[in-house]
Structures are given as C-alpha cells and as structure tokens.
Amino acid sequence: MGLLDKVERGIEKAVRGVFSTGSRNQVEPVEIASRLRREVDHRSLTVAAGRTLVPNVFDVQLSDDDFKRAQEWGTPLAEELCDVVINHVRSQGYTLQGSVRISFRRDADLRAGDFEIVSSTEKSKGAPGGTPPRPNLPAAPSRQPVRLQPILDIDGQRYSLNAPSIVLGRSSEADILVEDTGVSRRHLEIRTADGVTSAVDMGSTNGSYVNGHKVSGSTELTDGSTITMGRTKIIFRLLPAGPGGHA
C-alpha cells in the first residue's frame, strides 16, 4: 500500500469513526490535515538556494469536546497526520531539521468545531554517547522530491487536471462531460493555483457538494475528497506524477 493510500484510508477511518458521531459542529481530521499543509507553507523559511526550512513539531489545540474525540482515536490519528505533513514536505522539496511530531492539546477557550495549530522547529537529538545529529536533515535524503498530480476519478475513468481551470458539466463544450440529467450544462469548475485545488459551483440548478457539504463560493479539495453532482460521485486524488508528468 502506497503512502497516499495509507493516509487516505486512515483519514477516512477517522472521519467515519471517532469524528463522525454527534454534532456536525466539530473538527474533522481532513480539516486538520489541510490546515497542517497550510501551516507548513506559511511557516517556510528559505535560507539558501534549494533549501527551505519548515516546522516539524505541531500542537493541535482543540476544544474540550473535540479533544475527547481525538483522545479516543489517539496515536493512529497522529501518525496518519504525520504522514500528511511528511508527504507534503517531500512534494514541495522542503527541509526538516528533525522528525515530525504532532500532539493534541485541550484549549478550554475554543468552541467546538474550532481549532488552532501552533508549530515550531526542533532538531533531532542524538543517541546518548553518539554523534550529534546531522544538521538540516532532509525529509527524504535518498529521494528526489515527489511531484503530485491532481486527478479526478469519475465512474472508473481517470482525468488529470493539467490546466488551471477545468469545467465539468452536461454540455459538450465542458472540459469533462458528465452525462447525468441532474447535472447542469456548466455545473462545476475545478481550479488549481499555487498547489491548491478548489471546487467552484457555477450556479448549477441542483448544487455541488464536497464531502457532503454544499459548495458555497470556493471549497478546497484534499486527497480523497468526494464531490457529488446530481447522481454522480467524483473522487479527487493526488497521485505521484510519472516521468511524463502524468499520474
């Protein structure tokens, strides 16, 4: 099983399990994963050509209710989120100074559904009596950075998103034709910019949904996001691009 498949399956388990019960006003693991990626990007610091340092320690601060759910899932969720960070670091060619660590902490001032991430950089400590750790330890020293290709899975067909804007709809003029009477002629636009892919409803009659939530304005897509249009379900995925740039 590849890293992306492992992350996707782990995060989906968390959504269906611990975080899927109770009020809808609660934090979901996919939200934490998305925020972790943004935190890494926002805190990145270029120190030399080809070397950009990013944080490796993350404290996810949760409300009392969300913290209890995180405790129930425990270490497996933290490990899956670590994989999300490591995969993003590799894809962007960033540099880590130590191993990635994620902790959940309770913050009584936060409301259910709200969370904060506090990040920092910590160097790995050498073993007692051993040599000090190598500085600026790269995330994957023996591998070239992996470029991820955004794709859509629709009824067994795979479409690579190779343009900044892709329109889905029932019209033959759409970039991706979706033959579904519940889909408008120009139903949904998929935009990709600066490494972020978003779904934008184009004023469709029946609306568009991402992970069960109606799209209002623009909704960011993460690996494994499910898009619903009419009776059609579409899976958004990020897959390692091949030598020719295709997933």
Side-chain angles (χ1 to χ4, degrees), residues 18-19 62 65-74 77 104:
V18 176
F19 284 81
L62 302 163
D65 289 343
D66 288 320
F67 180 75
K68 290 177 184 177
R69 283 188 289 271
Q71 275 190 314
E72 291 176 21
W73 190 253
L77 176 58
F104 301 108

Side-chain angles (χ1 to χ4, degrees), residues 19 23-28 31-32 35 59-70 104-117:
F19 284 81
S23 169
R24 292 180 61 186
N25 189 27
Q26 60 192 32
V27 176
E28 295 185 355
E31 296 177 280
I32 300 176
R35 185 85 66 85
D59 285 338
V60 182
Q61 301 176 352
L62 302 163
S63 68
D64 287 340
D65 289 343
D66 288 320
F67 180 75
K68 290 177 184 177
R69 283 188 289 271
F104 301 108
R105 300 187 187 279
R106 179 190 287 110
D107 187 334
D109 294 331
L110 290 174
R111 296 179 301 175
D114 294 338
F115 68 99
E116 300 289 342
I117 293 179

Side-chain angles (χ1 to χ4, degrees), residues 146-188:
V146 177
R147 190 171 70 84
L148 298 180
Q149 172 66 45
I151 65 102
L152 297 178
D153 276 340
I154 309 175
D155 294 332
Q157 296 290 323
R158 176 174 292 179
Y159 300 86
S160 293
L161 303 178
N162 295 318
S165 173
I166 300 289
V167 174
L168 290 77
R170 198 158 41 89
S171 170
S172 59
E173 297 179 356
D175 298 305
I176 298 178
L177 177 64
V178 180
E179 296 180 348
D180 182 335
T181 56
V183 171
S184 298
R185 293 176 60 80
R186 291 173 62 85
H187 193 110
L188 185 73

Side-chain angles (χ1 to χ4, degrees), residues 35-110:
R35 185 85 66 85
L36 284 168
R37 294 188 189 98
R38 291 200 297 271
E39 178 72 11
V40 168
D41 291 336
H42 292 165
R43 292 289 308 279
S44 63
L45 176 65
T46 301
V47 295
R51 222 173 91 220
T52 301
L53 301 181
V54 293
N56 61 304
V57 177
F58 303 87
D59 285 338
V60 182
Q61 301 176 352
L62 302 163
S63 68
D64 287 340
D65 289 343
D66 288 320
F67 180 75
K68 290 177 184 177
R69 283 188 289 271
Q71 275 190 314
E72 291 176 21
W73 190 253
T75 301
L77 176 58
E79 290 177 345
E80 295 295 347
L81 291 173
C82 284
D83 284 344
V84 168
V85 172
I86 292 170
N87 186 63
H88 185 64
V89 167
R90 288 176 176 174
S91 71
Q92 300 300 314
Y94 293 146
T95 298
L96 295 169
Q97 287 196 318
S99 58
V100 174
R101 188 171 76 248
I102 293 176
S103 303
F104 301 108
R105 300 187 187 279
R106 179 190 287 110
D107 187 334
D109 294 331
L110 290 174

Side-chain angles (χ1 to χ4, degrees), residues 187-208:
H187 193 110
L188 185 73
E189 180 185 12
I190 305 295
R191 297 177 183 172
T192 302
D194 299 325
V196 176
T197 303
S198 303
V200 180
D201 187 83
M202 303 182 71
S204 64
T205 301
N206 296 322
S208 307

